[in-house]
Amino acid sequence: MEANYQATLSPARTLTGMNNETEDPYPSLSDYHDYEPNLEFDDTELQASSNNAVQLLEAKLDLINSGAVVTGIDYLESPVSDGTIEENFEEALVDAPVIESADDLAALEGELADEEDYLDISRHGIVEVVGDDSAGRKIIVVSACKLPPIGKEAFNHAKLLRYLMHTLDKFVEQDYSLVYFHYGLTSKNKPPLSWLWQAYKAFDRKYKKNLKALYLVHPTNFIRIVWQIFKPAISAKFGRKMMYVNYLEELAQYINLDQLIIPPQVLQHNEQLVSKNKKSLPTSPPQSTVATPIGTTQFGASLSFIKENNNGDPIPPIVKQCIEFLNCPDALETEGIFRRSANVGVIRKLQHDCNQGLQADFKGDPHIAAVLLKTFLHELDEPLMTYELYDEITQFQTLSKDERPRRVKILVLEKLPEDNYHLLKYIVQFLSKVIDRSDLNKMTSSNLAVVFGPNLVRAPPSRGMSLSAIGPINQFIDFLFTFQDKIFII
């Protein structure tokens, strides 16, 4: 019977699928979750009334409560996350408001999302945006342990949902990954089930389309139950993007943990799990392709190091290779250029080859060259716009429109180190050609600013980038792109 059961499972969810260069190459990262039943619905979202949806969920709950649901998956249980939901599922779902649009969502509290001040939500640090993953995708982190206990303070869950949408709105037009740290979600701080249903309805296709990987870290029975409840309404394609991660060491194979803001209690919980289970964990690959820089190293090195080993040329060889490859009509007019991700294995191999002094082979794919350029900028030991200028850049929104040109010129022409200036000018002047063809490639100056902002400007390691800084950074970079001909000395 076990053999028959496994024969019906989707091969895309097994670890062997990790080497396939497909659109969704990521399976479950843990062997605890390698065997996930294939979803029986296609990519068309469930088209049913709220009553029909509730009936489907109630039917699924009946199966769960009767023990008829197949649960042949071993979840590592957290001593804090009890994995139980005490409320009445049916009553909660029936009473849940139907969310059809952003206005419906805002109407829950009588406020429009784009008019809100989210400081009361953002101060908890529940949602954070960090660097890029191995495929060049922006990473959004959600930490359940940072949800405040219900009743201890007046925490507005409806506003949290609007805040999530407000955050994702900045990134849904490009590929992105989401990391959810489940540890710390308990019966004391978990949102009601009706909120989860509102969230699923609110996050429509535009949010799901470019989500390429959803990492569920330290899953428990709570996730199993919720997954079974919502499974009828989840498309097969979206389901394949979900990956269960029992240990941070597994996540480290795909995301540089140093750039994640991992809560201390999550780190401690992971240590306890590793010690308790005494599991042979995979060895995390080095996050930079060469631990000790050699003369040909470019990724992870400093601009001064690269210049010294490149005959004094301030433009690194890999930047020239990428831009020369992209500086042709076919590449410049590629729709979504710099927005799309690339295969992780291909990018890692190119990084290794470049650090060994070899020429990059882009295989005729503009997206590979685009991701490699972004990866180089992101992995510089110090961002191109330098840590010293971070605070000034994040105050850009406070400047009057008349003051902005003068202040940006001072920052770029006087405060930016000379080598940084030359490389920035080289890249921005190339990107102006991308913007000139935005009618074909769909990459306007603002779209490129969202992509390049976090790669050109990063917070000092001791501080981490807050969500409130993303807007000013993107506006600053957009201004730089838009007025580059007036800012840079020809």
Side-chain angles (χ1 to χ4, degrees):
M1 181 176 178
E2 178 68 15
N4 291 336
Y5 170 66
Q6 290 192 9
T8 65
L9 302 181
S10 169
R13 300 293 296 178
T14 64
L15 285 174
T16 57
M18 296 171 86
N19 295 324
N20 297 334
E21 296 184 14
T22 60
E23 180 182 354
D24 301 303
Y26 300 97
S28 164
L29 299 185
S30 169
D31 54 7
Y32 278 83
H33 307 286
D34 286 346
Y35 303 110
E36 189 72 2
N38 194 14
L39 302 181
E40 57 267 35
F41 288 83
D42 62 19
D43 195 32
T44 303
E45 298 297 331
L46 188 67
Q47 300 296 319
S49 66
S50 58
N51 288 335
N52 289 339
V54 171
Q55 289 173 6
L56 285 171
L57 298 178
E58 290 175 349
K60 182 61 67 176
L61 280 167
D62 290 340
L63 289 174
I64 293 174
N65 294 333
S66 66
V69 175
V70 177
T71 60
I73 303 172
D74 183 12
Y75 288 78
L76 294 179
E77 283 301 330
S78 160
V80 175
S81 298
D82 50 27
T84 61
I85 308 176
E86 298 81 11
E87 64 189 284
N88 185 303
F89 284 110
E90 293 86 347
E91 180 180 343
L93 289 173
V94 170
D95 293 340
V98 177
I99 306 299
E100 300 272 344
S101 66
D103 288 342
D104 291 337
L105 186 64
L108 291 175
E109 296 296 323
E111 299 173 292
L112 290 176
D114 58 356
E115 296 177 353
E116 290 191 83
D117 179 356
Y118 292 107
L119 289 178
D120 57 330
I121 302 294
S122 63
R123 67 184 178 85
H124 293 284
I126 301 166
V127 186
E128 292 164 308
V129 179
V130 293
D132 294 349
D133 64 12
S134 300
R137 300 184 287 249
K138 193 56 56 189
I139 305 170
I140 298 173
V141 177
V142 178
S143 302
C145 64
K146 295 185 179 181
L147 284 166
I150 297 175
K152 186 174 182 180
E153 58 180 287
F155 185 75
N156 190 329
H157 285 93
K159 191 172 182 180
L160 170 62
L161 182 50
R162 294 195 296 277
Y163 179 58
L164 283 169
M165 297 179 72
H166 174 76
T167 302
L168 290 177
D169 279 340
K170 299 181 176 69
F171 302 100
V172 294
E173 296 302 324
Q174 59 178 309
D175 293 348
Y176 69 100
S177 298
L178 194 149
V179 176
Y180 168 61
F181 292 118
H182 181 62
Y183 177 77
L185 187 73
T186 70
S187 57
K188 296 180 180 179
N189 70 347
K190 67 176 179 58
L193 186 67
S194 57
W195 183 87
L196 295 177
W197 182 240
Q198 291 168 15
Y200 180 76
K201 295 294 289 181
F203 292 120
D204 58 21
R205 181 173 175 79
K206 78 169 185 177
Y207 296 96
K208 300 167 188 172
K209 178 182 177 182
N210 290 333
L211 173 63
K212 297 302 179 183
L214 169 56
Y215 301 95
L216 303 174
V217 184
H218 299 140
T220 66
N221 278 334
F222 176 87
I223 288 183
R224 175 180 63 82
I225 294 172
V226 171
W227 170 253
Q228 292 294 341
I229 292 172
F230 289 109
K231 186 175 175 181
I234 297 177
S235 71
K237 188 173 182 179
F238 182 80
R240 288 193 295 269
K241 299 175 183 180
M242 297 174 59
M243 291 153 281
Y244 301 94
V245 185
N246 273 322
Y247 305 97
L248 293 176
E249 288 76 4
E250 294 169 343
L251 184 63
Q253 297 177 82
Y254 298 91
I255 293 179
N256 183 350
L257 298 186
D258 291 338
Q259 65 180 319
L260 297 184
I261 304 175
I262 306 176
Q265 53 266 56
V266 172
L267 292 170
Q268 183 178 4
H269 174 64
N270 189 75
E271 291 177 2
Q272 292 173 350
L273 286 178
V274 172
S275 175
K276 175 183 176 182
N277 292 280
K278 297 180 180 179
K279 180 176 173 62
S280 178
L281 296 173
T283 302
S284 173
Q287 299 301 334
S288 60
T289 53
V290 176
T292 302
I294 58 178
T296 54
T297 299
Q298 297 183 72
F299 288 88
S302 66
L303 287 182
S304 59
F305 177 90
I306 299 172
K307 180 181 178 180
E308 289 171 3
N309 291 277
N310 190 36
N311 299 319
D313 190 342
I315 311 300
I318 186 56
V319 174
K320 283 187 176 180
Q321 291 177 51
C322 289
I323 289 181
E324 287 173 0
F325 177 82
L326 293 169
N327 196 17
C328 67
D330 286 346
L332 290 173
E333 296 168 5
T334 300
E335 184 171 343
I337 189 68
F338 290 110
R339 178 184 291 172
R340 298 302 175 195
S341 54
N343 180 270
V344 176
V346 172
I347 296 301
R348 283 181 175 168
K349 184 179 186 305
L350 284 174
Q351 287 181 262
H352 178 269
D353 290 347
C354 291
N355 279 347
Q356 298 299 315
L358 303 176
Q359 285 287 111
D361 179 7
F362 303 122
K363 303 182 184 299
D365 188 345
H367 294 299
I368 291 178
V371 169
L372 201 64
L373 177 59
K374 290 190 300 179
T375 302
F376 170 81
L377 292 172
H378 182 72
E379 293 194 358
L380 282 172
D381 69 335
E382 183 178 23
L384 193 56
M385 298 305 298
T386 75
Y387 292 131
E388 185 178 348
L389 299 178
Y390 178 79
D391 288 333
E392 189 171 348
I393 291 172
T394 54
Q395 296 300 313
F396 180 76
Q397 284 181 324
T398 65
L399 301 175
S400 67
K401 291 185 178 180
D402 293 337
E403 181 72 3
R404 289 178 180 181
R406 186 182 70 85
R407 293 287 293 274
V408 172
K409 275 191 173 184
I410 292 174
L411 187 150
V412 171
L413 300 178
E414 299 180 16
K415 297 185 178 182
L416 198 63
E418 183 177 359
D419 291 341
N420 297 54
Y421 168 81
H422 288 299
L423 179 55
L424 180 65
K425 178 182 176 182
Y426 182 77
I427 293 172
V428 171
Q429 288 184 336
F430 160 71
L431 292 177
S432 68
K433 298 179 182 179
V434 178
I435 297 170
D436 287 342
R437 292 166 174 78
S438 61
D439 57 329
L440 296 173
N441 59 40
K442 312 302 181 186
M443 295 302 292
T444 62
S445 63
S446 59
N447 288 339
L448 285 173
V450 170
V451 173
F452 277 90
N455 293 311
L456 293 172
V457 183
R458 300 198 304 271
S462 59
R463 294 167 56 180
M465 184 180 294
S466 67
L467 280 175
S468 61
I470 294 175
I473 289 173
N474 291 347
Q475 282 198 16
F476 172 84
I477 298 300
D478 188 7
F479 186 92
L480 197 66
F481 291 167
T482 302
F483 299 102
Q484 60 87 19
D485 56 333
K486 297 181 176 62
I487 295 172
F488 293 96
I489 300 174
I490 304 301

